[in-house]
Amino acid sequence: MRWISCCFLISVILCGCSQNEPIEDTEVEILSTQDVEIPDNIFTSEKQNKNINEEEVNLSIKTYLDSYEELTIASSPFLDVLYEGEDLSENELEKFEKINKLTKENDENFSNYILKNTLPEGYQVETKRISQYITTSNEILYGLDETLTNITEDLNEGIIPEINLGTIKSNTEAVNGREQKKIEDFLDEKDISTKAFGREK
C-alpha cells in the first residue's frame, strides 16, 4: 500500500530529525497483537488546589511513567503491523484505539494534576519537563496518524498527496537525548524507580 510507504518515509525522517543526541532504547520483547494485554491502570487524580507532599508526588510520577511505558509497549505490535503494510482487523483496531485513548487520558490526567496542585519545592520545573516530554513524544505519533489518515483519503480520491512534515517535526525538538538525561537525573536524585527509560530497580 502506498500510504504505508509514506508512513515508513515519515517515520525515517522523524527518526533522523528528532534528536540531536540519541535516546537510549531498552530491549523490549515484541508481542503479537493477539498477545497484547491492555494495561489496567493509568494515572488518575481528582485532587485540585491541594498541597502535595514529596512522597505522593514521587508515587504519582512513577505511576504516570510506568503507565506510559506499558501503553507504549502495548501499542508497538499494532504499529509493526501497519509499518509492514498490513491491515488491522476490527478487533485489533478496537484494541489499538483503546490504547491510544488511555495514552491521551494518562497524559491529560498528569498534566492537570501538576497544574492544579501545589507541588513541593524543586518539583514544579521537573514535573513539567516530564509531562511535556512524554506528551510531546505521544503527540508525534498522533500527528503521524493524522497525516497518514489524510494521505489515505487523498490516495483514495486519486490525488498524489503532498507530505508536510513541518508541524510534526517542530514537535520533536522537546524529545531528545538532552531532555531525557535531565529527566533521568531528576529521577535518580529523587530515587524514583520507573519502568520508563529502563530505570526500574
Side-chain angles (χ1 to χ4, degrees), residues 65 126 129-131 133-134 178-189 197 199:
L65 290 176
E126 295 306 325
R129 186 193 310 280
I130 291 169
S131 178
Y133 183 93
I134 300 301
R178 289 191 305 276
E179 284 299 292
Q180 181 173 315
K181 180 65 165 57
K182 291 176 184 177
I183 292 171
E184 291 180 351
D185 288 345
F186 174 74
L187 296 175
D188 287 341
E189 177 189 339
F197 315 124
R199 305 192 70 77

Side-chain angles (χ1 to χ4, degrees), residues 116-129:
K116 295 181 178 179
N117 293 288
T118 302
L119 305 182
E121 184 177 351
Y123 277 82
Q124 289 87 348
V125 171
E126 295 306 325
T127 54
K128 184 178 179 182
R129 186 193 310 280

Side-chain angles (χ1 to χ4, degrees), residues 26-33 35-39 65-80 96 99 103 138 141 195-198 200:
T26 56
E27 290 291 328
V28 177
E29 180 183 351
I30 303 299
L31 304 173
S32 71
T33 55
D35 296 329
V36 169
E37 292 185 13
I38 298 175
L65 290 176
D66 283 353
S67 299
Y68 157 74
E69 181 70 10
E70 290 169 1
L71 289 162
T72 299
I73 292 171
S75 68
S76 293
F78 300 97
L79 292 172
D80 288 342
F96 189 43
I99 292 168
T103 299
N138 288 329
L141 292 177
K195 297 174 183 177
F197 315 124
E200 190 169 36

Side-chain angles (χ1 to χ4, degrees), residues 7 10 17 19 37 46 55 70 142 146 167 171:
C7 171
I10 293 171
C17 299
Q19 303 167 16
E37 292 185 13
E46 300 297 326
E55 181 180 359
E70 290 169 1
Y142 302 146
E146 183 178 347
T167 303
N171 287 335

